[in-house]
Amino acid sequence: MKLENRRWTDEEFGQAFREVMSLYPTGREVDLDEAVEYLRALPPEKSVPAAFDRAKRDGLLLLNPRGGVATLEAMTQLLLCLQNEGGADILPVEPDSYSRRNMFQEAAAGLEESQRQGRSMLNGFPLPIHGVATCRRLTESVQRPLVCRSAAPRTQFVNTIAFVSGITEAIGSATGLALCMEYGLDLAQAIQDQQYTARLVGWFQERGVALGLDVNNTVAAGTIAEPSLSIAYGVIDSLIAAEQGARYQSISYQPNHHFVQDLAGMRAQMKLAQHYFTKFGYDWSGLSQAVHQWNGPFPRDPARAYAIIVLSTAIAYLGKARRIMVKSCEEGLGVPTPQANAAGVRATRQVVDMLRGQEFPESPQLREEQAIIETEGRLLIDKVLEVGDGDIAVGAVRAHEAGLIEFPFSINKANKGQMLLARDATGAVRFLDPGHLPFPKEIRQFHQEKLRERQRSEGLEPLEMLVRDLREVRAPFPEAKTRRLV
Amino acid sequence: MGQPQITIITGVLRDIHHLGIKVVGYALQEAGFRPVFIGARLEQEEFIQAAIETDAKAIFMSSSNGHAELDAVDMREKCTEVGLGNILLYLGGNLVIAAQEQDWTSIEGRFKEMGYDRVYPPGVSPAQVIQDLKADLAQRYGISEVARDER
């Protein structure tokens, strides 16, 4: 099929559905018409879209931890812990890496080995191996809505099983996941794979079943991201999903933990998303914004890890995000325990409760920062549309080939890799080298000047600044390094 | 253009963590070299094949999943077998399991014994790597000048 940003026909979707479901025997259990009845009968408290509607109405920030283990028993315990001990608003079902990548034989072996050894040998819950009936037993054992956190590019099978099993949201990001996770995956192929999941969501929507799509475009392979990049990838990926009929979408903003820049970036992201949805005639009323607690390297010290969680939460709340992806104080030590994840949710809730009713004050700095970010975001998105002759999907492929848009520190060979970022003296993220991004001289100079200020104060070479920024959420001031006790 | 650019093969050995080697690649380009990033989850043979195809003077391998003591062995021997005995081999990253409990000179020594010319821990300054490379190129190949950066 030729890549185009147009809604798939029923024939095209039907054929793709049959091909996807033939990948593994549990696919034969999937009956979409039966699933419509099953999902219609779910109580509203199990619906992610309903949770977002309520959050928007009441000004809430939904707390969404992570987690996944191999067996039904252990996974049920994990979810009950996050629900009862953590007080999470949305519960995660993270599939293991094999299930995300359609490596079903390996996932099946891992599940068997986990059952034999009595501990999880997989880094997630293998929904495709368990099949619909078992997955429904899992979702029916909790009282919160669930999201399938399939953060990988080729996830049609696992997402289908998830929806049919009563999980009312899945991750889907046309370009972001391929750019973040895969070296060799062709961008056009990746977009089409994600069009499937978005079309599946649209198909249910047309039958009165609201499902959510987490446009998980956190433009970070564990790194910093200039806000206009969060915005551009969020808008591109959500427009592609909207064309397939996905109405409830959660767009991610990647915070750099700089109050002014992040709050300006979050506002600009929603403003531009609404602008482009309106331009193409899509309904933006189902859009909401998510913030991920720091996605980069965490300190091993739990006290320092908690500090990061708190700051992420303050930014998400004051920026009026509707969901925060919660981490734990054990993030720097390895895969966290259920109890540590539940503790992360409680720490996050504490910050939210303390900030209730507060607004970040307007200021000239905030307005100036937002104006720059918005200008950059428009330039990026308009350029993608221009080189795609108005087709955002085609444009995304062509713009990456030419380096006109770049995913920060992407592993994918489709990414040009000329662009570099670094923090300035205040911690805001700037373009160390904008590569071929379509920015005029004034914008390039603005970023250079900001970075020169840091160079002067820290006495570092540009690439040394970058290396420090990649290794820690914010490296200590160089002179202070010798005085640190740890 | 004056003298032809010097090609350096860069990539990630059987691993996906690519940030460090990407920064080094950028530094190489800035310094006038021609870095060729060949990807991630690579086998040693893929580095060697790429070096043959591009007439590279050095191979920069990155590994940060802690498996380098298993994954990086025999590289020098394989290079020699195909006639690349002289090629510069650089290795960097989070090379061993539990590195924080080990002395860096001992880690470095293990890999130098395997035939690597330079071994770097995470966070090495890119400028240091470039300086080392220039010194090694002069010593091994008698190359004293690198094409100017024209950017």
Side-chain angles (χ1 to χ4, degrees):
Chain A
M1 197 164 33
K2 185 165 142 272
L3 177 67
E4 268 182 284
N5 186 44
R6 64 156 177 85
R7 187 169 295 192
W8 288 11
T9 64
D10 287 346
E11 289 71 35
E12 286 166 335
F13 174 66
Q15 193 189 335
F17 172 78
R18 284 187 296 277
E19 281 171 19
V20 168
M21 288 300 101
S22 70
L23 290 174
Y24 194 69
T26 51
R28 286 198 293 267
E29 300 163 18
V30 175
D31 175 344
L32 288 183
D33 294 322
E34 185 273 344
V36 168
E37 295 310 313
Y38 179 79
L39 289 164
R40 273 189 191 147
L42 282 184
E45 66 262 26
K46 300 296 279 293
S47 161
V48 169
F52 275 118
D53 278 343
R54 198 179 64 244
K56 276 190 273 193
R57 192 190 63 211
D58 299 343
L60 306 176
L61 177 62
L62 301 171
L63 277 43
N64 190 162
R66 298 153 184 264
V69 287
T71 64
L72 175 66
E73 298 69 30
M75 189 68 205
T76 306
Q77 288 310 310
L78 167 64
L79 292 183
L80 288 173
C81 176
L82 295 174
Q83 172 185 289
N84 300 334
E85 290 177 39
D89 298 304
I90 299 175
L91 296 174
V93 180
E94 307 238 3
D96 63 290
S97 298
Y98 296 129
S99 296
R100 294 180 211 176
R101 299 166 63 87
N102 294 340
M103 296 165 70
F104 301 120
Q105 305 311 323
E106 287 84 352
L111 175 60
E112 207 179 307
E113 194 59 24
S114 303
Q115 280 155 346
R116 190 165 31 237
Q117 296 212 21
R119 66 190 175 99
S120 187
M121 304 296 287
L122 293 173
N123 60 359
F125 185 70
L127 296 96
I129 314 305
H130 286 297
V132 174
T134 304
C135 290
R136 282 185 181 177
R137 279 177 63 198
L138 177 75
T139 62
E140 286 165 8
S141 64
V142 296
Q143 284 79 48
R144 298 281 184 281
L146 295 118
V147 53
C148 176
R149 294 197 37 78
S150 44
R154 314 204 69 178
T155 48
Q156 300 100 307
F157 191 95
V158 67
N159 285 344
T160 309
I161 298 282
F163 286 138
V164 168
S165 303
I167 296 174
T168 49
E169 191 190 31
I171 287 180
S173 160
T175 64
L177 292 164
L179 290 164
C180 189
M181 308 270 182
E182 293 284 337
Y183 172 69
L185 181 58
D186 180 59
L187 205 49
Q189 181 65 54
I191 294 172
Q192 289 185 329
D193 290 348
Q194 296 291 331
Q195 281 177 325
Y196 169 90
T197 299
R199 184 65 207 120
L200 181 60
V201 169
W203 187 92
F204 277 108
Q205 186 76 48
E206 288 154 16
R207 284 152 186 81
V209 174
L211 296 174
L213 197 65
D214 177 359
V215 184
N216 182 60
N217 70 298
T218 57
V219 281
T223 64
I224 49 178
E226 206 272 350
S228 67
L229 301 167
S230 273
I231 292 168
Y233 281 100
V235 170
I236 291 167
D237 288 352
S238 61
L239 286 174
I240 292 171
E243 174 63 27
Q244 300 303 325
R247 179 162 170 259
Y248 282 95
Q249 295 191 46
S250 152
I251 311 183
S252 297
Y253 176 83
Q254 165 66 40
N256 297 303
H257 299 83
H258 182 284
F259 273 96
V260 171
Q261 189 181 41
D262 284 335
L263 298 187
M266 289 174 71
R267 285 186 193 187
Q269 188 181 45
M270 288 313 273
K271 187 173 162 189
L272 289 188
Q274 290 174 5
H275 166 79
Y276 286 98
F277 267 57
T278 306
K279 179 181 164 123
F280 288 102
Y282 304 132
D283 171 11
W284 52 261
S285 65
L287 281 183
S288 49
Q289 197 171 34
V291 161
H292 291 237
Q293 292 180 347
W294 175 238
N295 247 339
F298 257 71
R300 294 171 65 84
D301 177 1
R304 292 174 61 204
Y306 263 131
I308 296 173
I309 289 173
V310 169
L311 195 64
S312 299
T313 309
I315 284 168
Y317 185 86
L318 293 172
K320 298 186 163 64
R322 293 294 157 236
R323 162 169 40 201
I324 183 161
M325 294 306 306
V326 175
K327 293 210 169 177
S328 95
C329 63
E330 289 183 2
E331 198 66 37
L333 297 172
V335 179
T337 59
Q339 287 70 27
N341 275 323
V345 180
R346 293 199 303 276
T348 303
R349 178 80 67 199
Q350 180 68 29
V351 179
V352 170
D353 285 342
M354 291 170 75
L355 286 171
R356 190 176 58 249
Q358 292 193 44
E359 296 250 353
F360 196 82
E362 287 296 333
S363 67
Q365 294 94 317
L366 196 56
R367 276 194 295 275
E368 186 198 10
E369 198 70 52
Q370 188 178 340
I372 292 162
I373 295 166
E374 252 183 66
T375 305
E376 293 169 354
R378 279 177 198 270
L379 286 167
L380 290 170
I381 299 163
D382 288 344
K383 183 56 82 176
V384 170
L385 284 167
E386 182 195 317
V387 299
D389 302 319
D391 185 308
I392 192 94
V394 174
V397 175
R398 290 181 186 160
H400 280 93
E401 280 167 7
L404 294 166
I405 186 167
E406 285 210 37
F407 194 92
F409 309 102
S410 162
I411 181 70
N412 197 297
K413 66 179 181 184
N415 207 62
K416 199 82 176 169
Q418 291 296 314
M419 178 195 80
L420 287 179
L421 307 168
R423 291 186 187 274
D424 70 14
T426 69
V429 174
R430 309 295 179 191
F431 290 101
L432 183 58
D433 183 343
H436 302 294
L437 302 193
F439 294 159
K441 212 167 88 188
E442 314 82 71
I443 289 182
R444 289 169 180 255
Q445 279 171 348
F446 167 80
H447 287 274
Q448 278 169 10
E449 185 43 47
K450 289 284 183 189
L451 289 171
R452 268 199 293 271
E453 285 169 16
R454 174 173 172 202
Q455 261 182 280
R456 278 194 294 270
S457 76
E458 296 192 0
L460 296 170
E461 288 302 307
L463 287 181
E464 285 176 335
M465 301 196 309
L466 166 59
V467 170
R468 289 168 66 81
D469 293 345
L470 291 178
R471 301 198 68 211
E472 279 195 72
V473 59
R474 182 100 192 266
F477 196 73
E479 279 177 14
K481 214 175 159 191
T482 49
R483 282 188 270 115
R484 261 178 57 208
L485 294 173
V486 179
Chain B
M1 280 289 277
Q3 61 275 54
Q5 279 194 309
I6 295 164
T7 300
I8 314 288
I9 298 299
T10 73
V12 188
L13 176 68
R14 286 193 169 182
D15 181 24
I16 191 84
H17 300 93
H18 67 290
L19 292 179
I21 193 70
K22 278 284 181 73
V23 175
V24 170
Y26 192 88
L28 285 168
Q29 192 177 317
E30 289 261 285
F33 294 98
R34 179 174 164 248
V36 178
F37 179 70
I38 59 167
R41 295 204 188 98
L42 297 167
E43 296 299 323
Q44 291 181 7
E45 288 74 9
E46 295 176 85
F47 285 92
I48 294 169
Q49 193 55 41
I52 293 171
E53 284 168 14
T54 59
D55 190 24
K57 295 285 183 285
I59 294 174
F60 281 26
M61 299 201 306
S62 186
S63 165
S64 292
N65 60 6
H67 285 183
E69 282 181 282
L70 304 170
D71 293 341
V73 292
D74 298 335
M75 178 71 178
R76 174 58 74 190
E77 288 74 11
K78 287 181 196 166
C79 287
T80 307
E81 274 170 30
V82 296
L84 294 181
N86 244 343
I87 197 161
L88 291 167
L89 293 180
Y90 282 33
L91 181 67
N94 180 29
L95 298 173
V96 301
I97 305 284
Q100 64 273 30
E101 293 160 15
Q102 299 177 43
D103 177 36
W104 170 250
T105 30
S106 136
I107 298 174
E108 185 185 25
R110 264 172 266 162
F111 291 101
K112 286 213 160 165
E113 209 160 284
M114 290 183 203
Y116 290 91
D117 296 286
R118 301 277 180 177
V119 186
Y120 299 109
V124 64
S125 158
Q128 179 67 50
V129 178
I130 299 298
Q131 193 186 321
D132 293 344
L133 178 62
K134 285 181 176 171
D136 289 349
L137 284 170
Q139 203 205 4
R140 189 155 306 170
Y141 296 102
I143 297 170
S144 57
E145 217 174 304
V146 177
R148 294 302 310 164
D149 174 22
E150 286 166 21
R151 281 159 25 107

